Amino acid sequence: VDLNPFAGAIARFRLLLAALQASDVHRMVESPDFKIHVAIGDSLLHGRRFGLTATDDMFQGAEHFADTGLAHAYASEDLAEAQEILGRQYHAVVGNPPYITVADKALNETIRRVYARSCKGAYSLVAPFIERFWALARPEQGTVPAGRVAMIVSNAFLKREFGAKVIEDFLTTVDLTHVIDTSGAYIPGHGTPTIILM
């Protein structure tokens, strides 16, 4: 699930090519009807809130927010697909959330309210995405192990005040097994020092 329709189109195309290659299919007419699970939407706002504190209005569509200044944030080209993808928990949750702050004041306050365990001060989106990724991972159930999370994030939350809540109030509640510092590695498109959390 991604806000950017171009990123979604690229992901669909690359997943289709990978599926064709794995299936040893060389002509589109011979291709099975692959279901590619990619949607355009906001991973922080759409979908179910597994164990998160949220109000009932967080599950409404854009029309519900017409007079609040937030309709643009809840609108999605693929709302049904985004709700379906983000309405389940997974064995593996992998991603690279944005390292930016939210300029839109109403949206910033909404995210802060929904992700109260991780948002503090002038928070970067890394903070609520850390909370969201772990919520999308399946909890341990009997002999079925808990889902795994891997995310590449800016290391700013370790160095700046906004990260205190993530570290003290959220990461202490999950089984964080690895923190890998990649600051010495060249990762294309990542000028910011990053870490990998698992």
Side-chain angles (χ1 to χ4, degrees), residues 29-152:
V29 295
E30 299 167 359
S31 171
D33 185 17
F34 293 112
K35 173 66 174 150
I36 306 293
H37 295 281
V38 173
I40 308 309
D42 189 323
S43 296
L44 293 176
L45 299 180
H46 294 128
R48 188 170 163 204
R49 303 286 176 262
F50 300 96
L52 302 181
T53 302
T55 59
D56 289 338
D57 66 354
M58 298 306 297
F59 301 96
Q60 304 297 323
E63 67 282 351
H64 179 78
F65 297 92
D67 298 325
T68 68
L70 284 174
H72 67 285
Y74 285 87
S76 169
E77 293 179 19
D78 304 326
L79 183 59
E81 293 88 348
Q83 297 285 47
E84 180 184 341
I85 292 168
L86 296 168
R88 300 173 32 196
Q89 290 178 302
Y90 296 90
H91 294 284
V93 182
V94 180
N96 179 9
Y99 303 173
I100 60 173
T101 58
V102 178
D104 181 308
K105 188 173 181 174
L107 183 57
N108 185 304
E109 288 305 315
T110 298
I111 292 170
R112 179 186 308 280
R113 186 179 79 243
V114 175
Y115 297 92
R117 289 172 57 191
S118 55
C119 293
K120 178 180 180 177
Y123 69 90
S124 160
L125 283 176
V126 166
F129 267 105
I130 289 173
E131 186 175 344
R132 182 62 165 152
F133 273 43
W134 257 274
L136 288 169
R138 292 174 55 101
E140 183 177 346
Q141 295 177 329
T143 59
V144 178
R148 307 286 286 187
V149 173
M151 56 192 316
I152 184 167

Side-chain angles (χ1 to χ4, degrees), residues 99 126 152-156 159 182-183 185 187 189-195:
Y99 303 173
V126 166
I152 184 167
V153 298
S154 163
N155 68 2
K159 300 176 178 183
T182 64
S183 59
I187 301 174
H190 289 274
T192 305
T194 56
I195 59 172

